[in-house]
Amino acid sequence: MGSKGIEIVGMDVKQLLDLLNKAFADEWLAYYQYWLGAKVVKGPMKEAVIAELMQHAADELRHADMVAMRIIQLGGTPITEPKQWYEATGCGYDAPNNPFVEVILNQNIKGERCAIGYYKKLLEMTQAKDPVTYNMVLQILQDEVAHEEDLQSLAEDLEFMLKK
Ligand SMILES: [Fe+2]
Ligand SMILES: [Fe+2]
């Protein structure tokens, strides 16, 4: 925690910390959803889908790391109890109970769309108020936009394949 670094934040730091902890919970749940999805997924194009899900899982874990570091910089504490992820989450968790590729892809597309919406909101809230958080959120948002596109193009290929 650095005093001057916190002083330059032109918004309510406590409120910002709550918003960041929400993102932190979302990232862990997204990580787990991808990680487990990659283990259980079945069906056509399985290998390509597994590779993508594993890559995304690694990205979500990296996002959790980035958000945790920023929370600590701001004098806060990242959620210490995993059971609190469920209370804090905005985008939730979709258990991969149905392992069919199409279902797994759609669950994760839904998650990415939620993440894009949330980070866009966070970007607007921090713009011109907290450049450090803004910059971090922008980097994460860029990844989430790429994630949605990766999954959607896999889902399109799968659709072609299933129609033949
Ligand atoms: Fe993420
Ligand atoms: Fe993502």
Side-chain angles (χ1 to χ4, degrees):
M1 171 164 111
S3 308
K4 188 68 181 173
I6 295 174
E7 197 190 300
I8 60 162
V9 176
M11 60 190 289
D12 186 80
V13 174
K14 227 175 147 38
Q15 187 207 359
L16 179 60
L17 284 168
D18 286 343
L19 293 167
L20 290 174
N21 255 319
K22 205 179 184 70
F24 181 67
D26 284 349
E27 293 294 353
W28 269 107
L29 292 171
Y31 163 73
Y32 190 68
Q33 189 175 312
Y34 275 123
W35 183 89
L36 190 58
K39 304 282 181 254
V40 300
V41 71
K42 281 181 184 157
M45 291 174 55
K46 194 175 93 168
E47 294 310 318
V49 171
I50 290 172
E52 202 64 61
L53 297 178
M54 287 309 288
Q55 181 58 56
H56 289 199
D59 287 342
E60 310 306 3
L61 192 57
R62 187 169 46 80
H63 295 163
D65 192 281
M66 291 163 76
V67 175
M69 293 314 289
R70 184 61 184 144
I71 290 171
I72 291 164
Q73 263 186 356
L74 288 167
T77 307
I79 292 173
T80 53
E81 284 282 355
K83 65 183 173 192
Q84 286 175 4
W85 293 344
Y86 263 84
E87 290 151 38
T89 184
C91 291
Y93 172 75
D94 262 339
N97 290 322
N98 181 338
F100 187 53
V101 265
E102 194 178 25
V103 177
I104 298 277
L105 284 173
N106 285 334
Q107 281 179 332
N108 288 304
I109 289 169
K110 192 179 126 214
E112 291 297 341
R113 286 180 181 156
C114 179
I116 290 168
Y118 187 67
Y119 285 119
K120 174 68 168 47
K121 202 176 85 181
L122 219 49
L123 204 62
E124 281 162 7
M125 291 179 78
T126 53
Q127 191 171 21
K129 293 197 174 114
D130 178 359
V132 179
T133 301
Y134 178 88
N135 183 51
M136 178 197 74
V137 172
L138 182 59
Q139 287 178 47
I140 296 177
L141 180 62
Q142 284 170 338
D143 289 342
E144 312 301 14
V145 166
H147 287 172
E148 185 205 24
E149 207 274 324
D150 293 339
L151 298 178
Q152 241 180 282
S153 71
L154 278 171
E156 278 166 25
D157 290 350
L158 182 69
E159 211 185 314
F160 277 121
M161 193 177 235
L162 294 174
K163 269 181 185 166
K164 276 197 173 172

